[in-house]
Amino acid sequence: MMFRLGIPLGIILLWASLAVLGQFLPLSPNSIELSKILLPGNAQEWLGFDDLGRPIFDRLIVGARTSFFVAFSVVTVSLIVGSLLGTISAYVGGWTDLAFVRVIDIFLAFPGILLAIALAGVMGPGIDNVVIALSIVGWVGYARLARAQVLSVKERDHVHAAVAIGTRPIRIMMRHLLPLISAPLIVEASFGIAGVVIGEAGLSFLGLGVQAPEASWGSMIRDGTRYMLVAPHMVIAPGLALMFVVLAINLLGDWLRDWLDVKGHGRRE
Amino acid sequence: MVTKFFLPRILTALGVIFGVVCVVFLLLHLVPGDPVEVMLGESAQPADREALRQALGLDQPIHLQLLSYFKGLAQLDLGTSLYSRRPISEILLERLPATIELGLASLILALTLAIPLGVIAAIKKETAWDFGAMGFALFGVSIPNFWMGPMLILVGALWLGWFPVSGREGMGSIVLPAITLGTAMAAILSRMIRSTLLEVLTEDFIRTARSKGLTEWTVTFRHGLRNALLPVITLLGLQLGALLSGAVITETVFSWPGIGSLVVEAIHRRDYPVVQAAVLLISFSYVMVNLFTDLVYAWVDPRVRLSK
Amino acid sequence: MFHFSIIPLLHQVQIDFKIMIRFAMALGALLLFPLLISCTDPPTNVIRFGLATAPTNLDPRFATDATSDRVNRLLYERLVDFNDAFEPIPALANWEQVSPTHFRFHLTPNRATFHDGTPLTAQDVKATYNFILNADNASPHRSALAMIDHLTIHDELTIDFHLNRPDSLFPSFLTIGILPAQLIQAQHPFHSKPVGSGTFSFVAWPDDTRLELVRLADKQTFEFIKVQEPTVRALKLLAGEIDMLQNDVPPELVTYLAKDPRLRIQRKPGTNFSYVGLSLEDEHTKQLLVRQAMAHAIDRESIIQYVLGGAARPAQSLLPPDHWAGAHNLKSYEHNPEKSRSLLAQAGYHAQAPLRLTYKTSSDPFRVRLATILQYQLAQVGIEVDLRSYDWGTFYGDIKAGRFQMYTLSWVGVKTPDIFQYVFHSHAIPPNGANRGRFHSDQADLLIDQAGTTQDLREKKHLYQELQAYIAEALPYVPLWYEDHVFMAQQNIEGFTIAKDGNFDGLKNVHRTSPSMAL
């Protein structure tokens, strides 16, 4: 239990609180000291300095904020848009549903984050564009899942009963359908957070994410790879941070899936 | 019977590809940035610009551009690179072998790792073996390849000096990118093999086989694994997506001259026609492979066909 | 029932996994083997030159990027070349000025033939320039040669250029490689199959990353290998996979490489001018006080020392002092945050109403790194800078269109002082020139016009120096530095001399003294 729930929860809480409270800490993530360029860690500054003489520890915490902000914006937007569209489509049925399935098929024909890479590349760098690009790709999974779930529950008796007494469709969807299908969506969303954290870091790694001097773990890794020969500390720290957060989210997602007893693998990727 | 099953699927796949072309074309053309300015540079006269714009067909309304793009596609003409001014089909063909080579190597590595891990985890469910195998899988999905790649370079190339840092030359150069791409895939596959095998092993025919007094070995491998591998084939098709999008980053990390690194290079050069063609090629092969696995699955397992 | 059988199963499974793994490995090896042996190791008699960017176009009529230009200099010969002070000197031809608008070029007798064996004559010169001047061909070099009215062939070895306006510096512009007329006529694809009369001839260009040329004099093969990542380039040099590199390696890595006894490092002051460009139409940056404050806020000495590894010279003007028209003792702006703050205060900016600027740069990592430093240094005096990095196309498009307050860029390969007309004259606002900041100064215009029209070279030089002194005061650009050229090679590679403008002509004399140690 400790391993499956305690540690992951601890890491995620640390991540979230650093992201939210980091701005109140006395950090100087963008303070450049040219004479400290690429210095390795010491007693005061454990993690050392980057290629501009900025403290890596401070940048790591600011990077936590970037990934947290992007992850929650993208997952919230995708989850709401995706499950609403999926629910409506399945509930309305007929030609609307058929057309909707085709649209989903087209979006699913772009493997992984390829479409997000192309979109972010075309829109230009910036954290807003990252959120947009990842959301455009992200909603499809929730839509497909919500649609499949609604199809399986919409023939249940209490739904039929609600229709029979003339309840408005919106109310039926909100009151009778969404609660029934929320468990798999929650599991999907928890894995989705891990996916978006990696997605944001990946886009920033490719130079399509945050703008300098903002810090993202992905852009820190990208900067670090250029100096691996002379300063490997630059690439190790942000990678470990990223790995632990993703690992924690995946563990928590696994636990959540078992706890909510959701069948199947909520994971795409 | 056969056409009744296969034909709709093929038609759907074609429809999806049509949609993909439209989506990519429109998305990439409705964004700011003028390729003509990029090509000619500052000293260009307005007349030169107009001439080039006409030569590239950029002066036409967008639906006509899309139409002529489709006409080109029908003749396998993907246009010309704005950057190198070479035919794009030529560039793609030049890059394709590298991606296929890397993909195959990663796939083989992934299967080599995933099948034993998945099987062992299923057979020894909830033992240290299972824990170890699934722990590996969890790490595998949690380490992004843009960090794993640099770490492998750091250790395997810079510190140990066993493999080349990057590029595609000599025997050793494929090792690190293939490990980067293969382990992530192995991680996902081994989890899926484990869970499908666990499901299969509880089914009736397994119990029947066991009660007939067959050895555990025969039961697990002859009956269990064989049936568990069927869904895995489909999953493998879906995994190709992860492989292809992973290749975009992995190829960039290792300067592997494939389609994936081409996408990133072209994005940074604003070479839209190349981005467009490469994205289309990747999506096209993804759709095709999934269609193929679908058909193979149906061919292998008649139940799928009947249930349709 | 299930868990009774676990023990015997364990035994069996272990054995069979070994077989399975072996089988999978064999299968893997089988599939990979043909792929692997097809990648053969490069032969050792080749000299390999690592490049950050590959050449894109081997047709000098169309090539515009620096790498293509440098490679084309090896493949083709041009009429005119430059010495270290950037004065024009004869290459394929000597010249005489017959009248202010008429130049006569005599082809030198000992010139090489084209690589296809045909001799290079006045016909070829005429065909090359006529092609560029023909608007239908949309050559990017046409506008720079707009002063040419027409060409006439005097005889086989003599060609006349007739100008539509006097220009005593005209020979400086005839630096385009000469192509064989016959092949121009036949629409030969020079961009991928170059035929020139240079000291190197084309062998193969199998893909974007690898170009093979042969030095005709001794059949020495050279390979130009594109290795995009600087770290990888440095490592390949260390591993002996490439023999030499020039530029584009971060100073930290140069320092690292310099420690290796197997390598040699050469440096030479360069002429590529880095600067901060400012909009002179913007309500903030049009104030001289603001520009002066910015100049005093930037600590160029520290950047050169720590970030550029000392491999740069602070710049005061677009032309370096060792250019024939270069100027000495220009006004220079020392790093002085106090002075900068008081200048900003004079201009009416303070902590409650700070100066806010948007700074555009290209997304090249080294440029972003420099921009981030400048952003920080400007913040130290209270200027809030919003940094935006764009891919080259968008960035350059914005700069040309004047959509900027502040940007950094370099002038690369500047050779003739007419650059001042192109960059600072009020008539040179894009698309007519590169006065991107919209600098309007009657005094500058006057000096530029005078310097341009006078035919006396001493007078010209004097006027250009006066102009540079004026520009240093008016500060349309904040000058930064000229980066040095750094050449890194294996110890057994000898004979390379670094060119002032960073071209690859040094390869003409490079040789290997002992067999390659690596591979």
Side-chain angles (χ1 to χ4, degrees):
Chain A
M1 201 59 190
M2 183 60 196
F3 176 73
R4 290 205 64 194
L5 190 59
I7 298 175
L9 215 54
I11 292 176
I12 290 168
L13 281 178
L14 184 68
W15 176 49
S17 54
L18 285 179
V20 176
L21 304 173
Q23 47 192 318
F24 303 111
L25 297 175
L27 299 175
S28 45
N30 298 327
S31 148
I32 292 172
E33 274 183 74
L34 298 182
S35 58
K36 288 187 178 168
I37 282 178
L38 297 183
L39 281 187
N42 57 37
Q44 286 86 44
E45 288 286 351
W46 311 333
L47 298 180
F49 296 86
D50 72 356
D51 58 328
L52 291 169
R54 298 175 295 197
I56 290 175
F57 180 79
D58 297 19
R59 294 184 68 70
L60 214 54
I61 292 177
V62 178
R65 186 152 82 222
T66 308
S67 66
F68 188 82
F69 166 73
V70 173
F72 278 84
S73 322
V74 171
V75 171
T76 311
V77 172
S78 309
L79 182 63
I80 292 175
V81 173
S83 40
L84 272 182
L85 289 180
T87 306
I88 294 171
S89 170
Y91 184 77
V92 174
W95 282 104
T96 321
D97 190 43
L98 224 59
F100 188 71
V101 171
R102 292 288 154 264
V103 171
I104 287 184
D105 278 349
I106 288 170
F107 272 87
L108 289 176
F110 297 99
I113 65 161
L114 178 72
L115 185 61
I117 289 174
L119 282 174
V122 159
M123 289 189 293
I127 207 72
D128 306 346
N129 289 342
V130 169
V131 172
I132 295 172
L134 288 174
S135 303
I136 289 179
V137 179
W139 68 274
V140 190
Y142 303 101
R144 190 176 56 161
L145 185 61
R147 181 182 165 275
Q149 294 290 322
V150 169
L151 283 182
S152 73
V153 297
K154 94 176 194 191
E155 302 303 331
R156 289 200 189 170
D157 291 343
H158 74 280
V159 181
H160 281 299
V163 175
I165 59 169
T167 317
R168 285 201 328 239
I170 293 178
R171 199 177 155 82
I172 293 178
M173 281 187 249
M174 293 313 236
R175 275 290 168 85
H176 301 282
L177 294 178
L178 275 177
L180 279 179
I181 64 168
S182 61
L185 282 173
I186 288 171
V187 172
E188 174 91 356
S190 70
F191 288 118
I193 292 175
V196 174
V197 168
I198 290 188
E200 179 273 321
L203 290 176
S204 293
F205 175 82
L206 293 175
L208 307 171
V210 295
Q211 287 275 26
E214 300 308 320
S216 149
W217 292 340
S219 68
M220 289 173 75
I221 292 175
R222 163 185 150 98
D223 291 344
T225 56
R226 287 194 203 100
Y227 302 95
M228 279 200 300
L229 204 52
V230 286
H233 65 269
M234 263 183 83
V235 72
I236 292 176
L240 284 179
L242 185 63
M243 187 185 80
F244 281 125
V245 166
V246 173
L247 200 59
I249 300 171
N250 279 333
L251 277 170
L252 198 72
D254 274 347
W255 177 85
L256 207 60
R257 186 179 53 198
D258 294 348
W259 187 63
L260 292 172
D261 194 23
V262 174
K263 267 255 183 178
H265 343 268
R267 193 189 307 273
R268 287 163 296 132
E269 197 63 49
Chain B
M1 175 66 204
V2 170
T3 44
K4 212 172 167 185
F5 174 76
F6 288 101
L7 202 63
R9 265 154 213 252
I10 293 168
L11 285 180
T12 311
L14 284 177
V16 166
I17 286 164
F18 175 82
V20 163
V21 176
C22 293
V23 167
V24 170
F25 190 91
L26 292 177
L27 280 176
L28 294 188
H29 277 72
L30 297 176
V31 295
D34 186 349
V36 171
E37 292 223 345
V38 179
M39 287 170 78
L40 283 183
E42 179 145 16
S43 50
Q45 302 296 322
D48 300 342
R49 270 184 216 166
E50 244 353 275
L52 183 62
R53 204 178 292 278
Q54 267 173 26
L56 292 174
L58 292 172
D59 53 338
Q60 308 240 333
I62 186 131
H63 62 274
L64 289 183
Q65 288 187 44
L66 179 60
L67 199 69
S68 66
Y69 192 72
F70 270 112
K71 275 184 193 154
L73 276 184
Q75 299 155 21
L76 292 181
D77 172 15
L78 295 161
T80 312
S81 159
L82 299 184
Y83 178 74
S84 65
R85 304 206 182 179
R86 295 170 55 213
I88 293 172
S89 45
E90 200 179 300
I91 301 175
L92 290 180
L93 277 180
E94 198 176 283
R95 299 282 197 129
L96 200 56
T99 297
I100 293 177
E101 187 182 313
L102 178 60
L104 272 182
S106 318
L107 196 67
I108 291 166
L109 181 74
L111 287 174
T112 315
L113 285 174
I115 295 178
L117 280 175
V119 172
I120 216 168
I123 296 171
K124 299 180 178 304
K125 195 183 162 200
E126 295 183 356
T127 65
W129 292 91
D130 185 15
F131 231 65
M134 289 306 104
F136 163 82
L138 200 61
F139 268 92
V141 285
S142 303
I143 302 179
N145 44 20
F146 53 87
W147 189 57
M148 177 143 182
M151 283 293 116
L152 288 175
I153 293 179
L154 187 65
V155 177
L158 300 192
W159 290 351
L160 299 174
W162 289 352
F163 305 104
V165 174
S166 71
R168 179 180 174 234
E169 50 207 52
M171 317 248 281
S173 58
I174 200 171
V175 175
L176 298 183
I179 295 178
T180 308
L181 210 48
T183 42
M185 197 169 164
I188 301 169
L189 280 177
S190 60
R191 284 171 75 113
M192 299 189 162
I193 290 173
R194 174 183 181 267
S195 59
T196 39
L197 191 57
L198 277 179
E199 252 166 65
V200 170
L201 284 179
T202 56
E203 275 182 35
D204 291 344
F205 69 92
I206 295 283
R207 242 174 261 162
T208 320
R210 234 183 235 129
S211 60
K212 279 200 293 189
L214 294 175
T215 61
E216 261 325 302
W217 163 255
T218 318
V219 171
T220 314
F221 284 87
R222 193 56 80 62
H223 298 274
L225 194 57
R226 220 178 76 175
N227 283 289
L229 279 181
L230 274 177
V232 171
I233 291 176
T234 322
L235 292 172
L236 212 56
L238 289 172
Q239 275 308 296
L240 187 88
L243 194 72
L244 288 171
S245 66
V248 174
I249 285 173
T250 308
E251 286 183 5
T252 306
V253 170
F254 288 96
S255 310
W256 187 260
I259 303 283
S261 54
L262 180 70
V263 172
V264 177
E265 283 165 34
I267 282 176
H268 286 300
R269 289 170 186 156
R270 294 249 132 175
D271 198 346
Y272 298 132
V274 173
V275 177
Q276 184 174 311
V279 169
L280 285 182
L281 178 66
I282 295 177
S283 308
F284 177 76
S285 33
Y286 184 46
V287 173
M288 279 303 152
V289 168
N290 277 316
L291 176 68
F292 183 72
T293 48
D294 234 24
L295 300 183
V296 167
Y297 191 93
W299 178 63
V300 172
D301 187 350
R303 281 176 303 176
V304 178
R305 250 182 298 170
L306 291 173
S307 70
K308 177 72 188 183
Chain C
M1 178 160 61
F2 189 63
H3 64 245
F4 285 134
S5 48
I6 279 185
I7 295 163
L9 190 68
L10 199 151
H11 186 65
Q12 278 183 336
V13 165
Q14 267 182 339
I15 294 166
D16 285 289
F17 270 135
K18 275 187 198 148
I19 295 169
M20 247 174 103
I21 290 167
R22 255 183 236 158
F23 174 74
M25 278 166 71
L27 186 77
L30 208 69
L31 274 165
L32 282 179
F33 193 62
L35 298 168
L36 292 176
I37 53 167
S38 65
C39 314
T40 47
D41 288 333
T44 46
N45 58 347
V46 172
I47 296 183
R48 286 173 294 265
F49 192 3
L51 299 176
T53 49
T56 56
N57 193 326
L58 298 181
D59 185 339
R61 296 170 299 175
F62 291 103
T64 49
D65 63 290
T67 309
S68 300
D69 205 41
R70 288 167 181 169
V71 171
N72 285 339
R73 285 181 62 87
L74 303 171
L75 289 167
Y76 301 88
E77 287 281 326
R78 61 235 126 248
L79 293 179
V80 176
D81 227 324
F82 296 97
N83 63 14
D84 262 6
F86 292 103
E87 290 157 326
I89 53 171
L92 266 180
N94 295 299
W95 66 88
E96 56 181 317
Q97 190 170 10
V98 182
S99 79
T101 57
H102 177 192
F103 284 81
R104 172 164 292 172
F105 285 79
H106 305 279
L107 293 174
T108 51
N110 53 357
R111 68 194 186 281
T113 61
F114 285 115
H115 302 147
D116 64 356
T118 54
L120 189 159
T121 68
Q123 288 293 350
D124 303 305
V125 177
K126 186 179 179 194
T128 304
Y129 278 97
N130 274 345
F131 183 95
I132 292 167
L133 293 171
N134 183 346
D136 294 342
N137 294 322
S139 161
H141 301 296
R142 190 171 74 96
S143 52
L145 294 169
M147 77 290 266
I148 300 176
D149 190 70
H150 64 281
L151 293 89
T152 50
I153 292 181
H154 186 75
D155 60 47
E156 191 76 337
L157 299 177
T158 317
I159 185 154
D160 290 322
F161 283 80
H162 299 275
L163 310 188
N164 47 32
R165 56 178 153 87
D167 190 340
S168 57
L169 290 180
F170 173 66
S172 309
F173 298 100
L174 301 182
T175 53
I176 287 174
I178 303 301
L179 287 66
Q182 270 183 322
L183 294 181
I184 294 178
Q185 184 68 35
Q187 300 192 331
H188 179 79
F190 286 95
H191 64 92
S192 59
K193 295 190 175 59
V195 179
S197 65
T199 36
F200 289 73
S201 84
F202 176 77
V203 180
W205 198 8
D207 58 66
D208 182 39
T209 60
R210 201 171 285 271
L211 169 69
E212 209 177 309
L213 304 184
V214 64
R215 187 163 61 198
L216 292 167
D218 58 356
K219 300 289 170 223
Q220 170 68 52
T221 305
F222 285 79
E223 225 170 34
F224 296 83
I225 300 173
K226 182 186 94 168
V227 185
Q228 210 170 354
E229 283 299 312
T231 312
V232 180
R233 266 199 310 284
L235 279 165
K236 284 190 184 287
L237 185 67
L238 276 175
E241 287 172 45
I242 46 184
D243 295 303
M244 50 190 170
L245 290 177
Q246 181 179 284
N247 296 345
D248 298 316
V249 172
E252 288 82 6
L253 282 180
V254 176
T255 318
Y256 182 84
L257 292 176
K259 285 187 223 146
D260 195 301
R262 294 169 301 173
L263 302 180
R264 71 166 76 224
I265 311 283
Q266 280 166 251
R267 290 175 203 272
K268 182 167 180 169
T271 57
N272 295 344
F273 169 73
S274 300
Y275 65 94
V276 180
L278 296 161
S279 167
L280 292 134
E281 282 180 341
D282 180 81
E283 55 164 324
H284 304 290
T285 47
K286 77 177 178 192
Q287 306 172 58
L288 182 59
L289 284 173
V290 167
R291 300 200 299 275
Q292 286 172 337
M294 293 174 76
H296 282 297
I298 296 170
D299 186 359
R300 295 187 293 178
E301 301 290 340
S302 295
I303 297 176
I304 291 174
Q305 186 191 339
Y306 292 112
V307 185
L308 301 173
R313 299 178 283 168
Q316 258 65 258
S317 169
L318 209 164
L319 291 183
D322 41 354
H323 189 280
W324 67 264
H328 300 267
N329 304 322
L330 292 173
K331 180 176 172 67
S332 118
Y333 298 81
E334 80 287 357
H335 177 229
N336 188 342
E338 273 314 306
K339 189 167 179 183
S340 179
R341 268 180 226 117
S342 79
L343 287 165
L344 281 174
Q346 278 181 53
Y349 298 99
H350 49 83
Q352 278 70 48
L355 173 58
R356 284 205 179 88
L357 296 176
T358 303
Y359 175 4
K360 292 187 175 177
T361 177
S362 80
S363 52
D364 171 76
F366 194 65
R367 299 295 137 196
V368 175
R369 193 177 171 202
L370 286 173
T372 315
I373 296 172
L374 293 186
Q375 177 190 39
Y376 181 73
Q377 292 183 344
L378 291 170
Q380 297 307 297
V381 300
I383 304 175
E384 291 179 13
V385 171
D386 182 13
L387 183 60
R388 307 260 173 90
S389 70
Y390 297 94
D391 64 280
W392 174 252
T394 317
F395 168 66
Y396 198 48
D398 281 1
I399 300 309
K400 279 183 298 180
R403 286 190 295 268
F404 61 84
Q405 279 180 305
M406 172 186 180
Y407 67 93
T408 39
L409 207 56
S410 297
W411 280 107
V412 177
V414 171
K415 298 197 170 69
T416 52
D418 68 308
I419 185 77
F420 289 112
Q421 196 282 328
Y422 187 58
V423 173
F424 294 122
H425 198 285
S426 60
H427 292 165
I429 285 169
N432 300 315
N435 187 351
R436 300 155 183 161
R438 271 73 175 163
F439 177 58
H440 283 273
S441 158
D442 293 341
Q443 170 130 26
D445 285 359
L446 186 71
L447 283 167
I448 290 167
D449 290 341
Q450 283 178 342
T453 45
T454 180
Q455 300 302 305
D456 176 48
L457 282 180
R458 284 248 300 278
E459 172 82 2
K460 221 184 230 312
K461 173 177 176 169
H462 181 73
L463 285 164
Y464 276 124
Q465 289 174 338
E466 205 178 313
L467 172 69
Q468 289 172 78
Y470 174 75
I471 287 173
E473 293 282 347
L475 214 63
Y477 281 3
V478 177
L480 295 174
W481 47 72
Y482 312 106
E483 277 170 42
D484 290 355
H485 298 300
V486 184
F487 176 76
M488 295 143 277
Q490 308 289 342
Q491 283 291 3
N492 65 1
I493 296 292
E494 284 184 1
F496 191 89
T497 40
I498 301 177
K500 196 99 186 176
D501 64 351
N503 68 39
F504 299 155
D505 289 10
L507 294 179
K508 289 172 184 168
N509 300 311
V510 159
H511 57 275
R512 199 193 288 279
T513 51
S514 61
S516 168
M517 39 145 207
L519 299 169

